Amino acid sequence: MDLEPALAEKLANETDPEVFKKEANKLFNAQSFGSAISLYSKAIDLDPLNAVLYSNRSFAHLKTECFGAALNDANKAIELNKNYIKGYYRRASAYLALGKYKQALRDYEAVHKSCPRDEDAKRKFNECSKLVKKIAFEKAIAVEGSRSAFESVNLEAMTIEPDYNGPHLEDGKVTLKFVQELMDTYKKEQKLHRRYAYKILRDVYDYFQMQPSLVDVTIGADEKFTICGDIHGQFYDLMNIFELNGLPSETNPYLFNGDFVDRGSFSVECIFTLFSFKLLYPNHFYMSRGNHESKTMNQMYGFEGEVTAKYSAQMAEVFTEVYNWLPLAHCLNRRVLIMHGGLFAQDDVTLDDIRKVDRNKQPPDSGLMCDLLWSDPQPAEGRAPSKRGVGVQFGPDVTKRFIAKNNLDYIVRSHEVKAEGYEVAHDGKCITVFSAPNYCDTMLNQAAYITLNGADMRPNFHQYSAVPHPKVQPMAYANSLLLSLMS
């Protein structure tokens, strides 16, 4: 991470780790987390036995969602000083973000026992304990071949109230009029009736079940095709994409590349808009699964809480079943492969291998499905453990071998915030696109989408900034324990 020239010059000949720590703290407070990590690392190089430095860097890694790196630093801080309470706090936060709730609970318990009068420690211990018990209960009552969540949904019993003034399905089908009225309804901060919401979920579930894990898409020579990255519940920015680039249609096809929900507090509005377009234009509107289309992520980052608040816990369970059937990747004209995360922990993976992935499940911690949803590119050659704690980091040589083996031009992925909304890496063969501007109302990043045509498949990048939204903060529905990891 490059530092400001003046700061770099100031620290050029510095040898005092405390100076690097103080400057890193300033950068952290200014939300320049990458630069803060760089300076904490320099301080650690000069003072490698200082537990506080590892704890501080762990906190910065948490802020950048590098939960694996945060866990490693927290472990090191505890190794150096077993009585350093902040080390346990940081480790609990990393475990929590990785969905390792039992491990998080052990650390929160250690903090609570060490500081029995600390109300914050007590609250986190109690909340984590409730979460672990809830998950254990859900597992205990779940049995192999148990009923689908859809089986408890009785559409016919859901009456459309006389005062409902939202959109109506026509003969049970999504129409262009319906989608336009739905978007207008959401802009007015109103809801779609639960009967229609469940009907859309049922229909899109039935459709996705029939799709392969890798969907092949054909684009005509003169046809325009649009690729969007993460949306993360930023509905009003989604509407801006359609303002700038036109509504989806049979002559204006789109692919949304995962992470439609979580973090942003208008995830319900985003997902029903996207699912409606999928049903309206099934052969011209595509959706790939992201790592946030999963139960664990939805429990922590807000989608489950939002669905429960706006509809019901039952609907949240239905969403989990729908997400399990989302395709994992798309291949455009057999030349461009698109997935949410990235490439694989092993060489010799073919497109046919992706087609054969059994995806009707929650994402595993390793394997092809995991890597498709979680991996990230790195500038260095080869592979490295992911700083996220899940998936791998893959270098330009890995990308080169993969596209050569599969006769591809390049790959497109999302999954990472980029200051400009996109990034071209690995000699132009690995492109990242991220479509949520000013992510979480804090990152100040531009967003982008990609357009291309079938003739040359050359990516064209279109940048845009955030637009105003109602005064509902991001993470408004997130688990309170997750919010605590940021404090």
Side-chain angles (χ1 to χ4, degrees), residues 64-182:
T64 59
E65 301 185 20
C66 293
F67 302 125
L71 180 60
N72 290 338
D73 276 347
N75 278 330
K76 185 63 176 180
I78 293 168
E79 176 189 321
L80 291 170
N81 185 350
K82 287 184 168 47
N83 296 317
Y84 186 51
I85 296 302
K86 278 192 176 179
Y88 292 93
Y89 260 121
R90 301 291 176 246
R91 190 167 71 178
S93 296
Y95 277 139
L96 190 69
L98 290 168
K100 299 180 184 298
Y101 305 128
K102 289 183 179 179
Q103 294 94 320
L105 179 59
R106 284 199 293 267
D107 281 338
Y108 281 132
E109 183 178 20
V111 173
H112 178 48
K113 286 182 176 179
S114 297
C115 308
R117 296 184 180 180
D118 186 325
E119 289 300 319
D120 183 61
K122 179 180 179 182
R123 178 182 62 81
K124 289 174 180 174
F125 169 67
N126 288 336
E127 289 185 14
C128 192
S129 179
K130 290 177 184 176
L131 180 60
V132 169
K133 289 176 182 176
K134 176 178 179 288
I135 293 170
F137 175 75
E138 290 173 350
K139 286 183 178 180
I141 62 174
V143 294
E144 190 71 25
S146 59
R147 291 198 317 162
S148 164
F150 279 108
E151 293 183 35
S152 59
V153 176
N154 185 351
L155 285 178
E156 300 306 317
M158 297 180 188
T159 304
I160 308 294
E161 295 80 6
D163 61 349
Y164 172 69
N165 60 2
H168 294 264
L169 294 174
E170 297 180 23
D171 296 324
K173 302 295 184 182
V174 171
T175 62
L176 179 57
K177 177 185 176 184
F178 172 86
V179 183
Q180 290 172 326
E181 290 181 355
L182 178 66

Side-chain angles (χ1 to χ4, degrees), residues 239-311:
M239 293 297 97
N240 190 38
I241 294 173
F242 295 153
E243 284 286 330
L244 296 170
N245 194 55
L247 286 178
S249 70
E250 292 181 353
T251 57
N252 193 27
Y254 278 80
L255 188 159
F256 281 82
N257 196 28
D259 282 13
F260 323 114
V261 301
D262 277 338
R263 294 193 177 276
S265 296
F266 304 96
S267 292
V268 164
E269 290 79 0
C270 285
I271 197 61
F272 278 121
T273 299
L274 296 175
F275 278 167
S276 295
F277 274 120
K278 180 62 188 174
L279 293 172
L280 182 60
Y281 304 117
N283 299 317
H284 299 86
F285 191 89
Y286 304 91
M287 299 174 69
S288 290
R289 189 175 187 175
N291 64 301
H292 276 266
E293 278 70 57
S294 70
K295 186 173 180 63
T296 300
M297 293 291 105
N298 294 165
Q299 284 176 329
M300 300 306 298
Y301 287 88
F303 183 64
E304 183 178 288
E306 183 181 341
V307 174
T308 301
K310 294 178 179 178
Y311 289 100

Side-chain angles (χ1 to χ4, degrees), residues 337-368:
L337 184 68
I338 304 171
M339 76 293 281
H340 180 73
L343 297 181
F344 309 99
Q346 64 192 70
D347 279 333
D348 300 326
V349 174
T350 66
L351 299 187
D352 279 340
D353 292 329
I354 300 172
R355 289 188 180 94
K356 295 173 185 175
V357 173
D358 176 14
R359 71 183 188 277
N360 180 27
K361 57 188 175 185
Q362 289 301 290
D365 291 334
S366 61
L368 300 191

Side-chain angles (χ1 to χ4, degrees), residues 224-231 237-247 252-257 412-414 418 420-424 431-437 445-452 458-465:
K224 166 188 161 187
F225 191 89
T226 301
I227 305 166
C228 297
D230 303 42
I231 296 299
D237 295 308
L238 173 62
M239 293 297 97
N240 190 38
I241 294 173
F242 295 153
E243 284 286 330
L244 296 170
N245 194 55
L247 286 178
N252 193 27
Y254 278 80
L255 188 159
F256 281 82
N257 196 28
V412 177
R413 40 89 62 184
S414 302
K418 297 297 178 183
E420 300 302 315
Y422 71 95
E423 181 181 76
V424 180
I431 295 171
T432 297
V433 60
F434 191 84
S435 301
N445 61 290
Q446 290 268 286
Y449 56 86
I450 296 170
T451 60
L452 50 79
R458 182 173 61 86
N460 302 291
F461 303 99
H462 305 267
Q463 295 173 289
Y464 54 98
S465 300

Side-chain angles (χ1 to χ4, degrees), residues 26 76 110 142 190 330 354 372 443 469:
K26 291 177 185 177
K76 185 63 176 180
Q190 298 173 354
H330 293 75
I354 300 172
L372 285 164
M443 297 300 288
H469 63 75

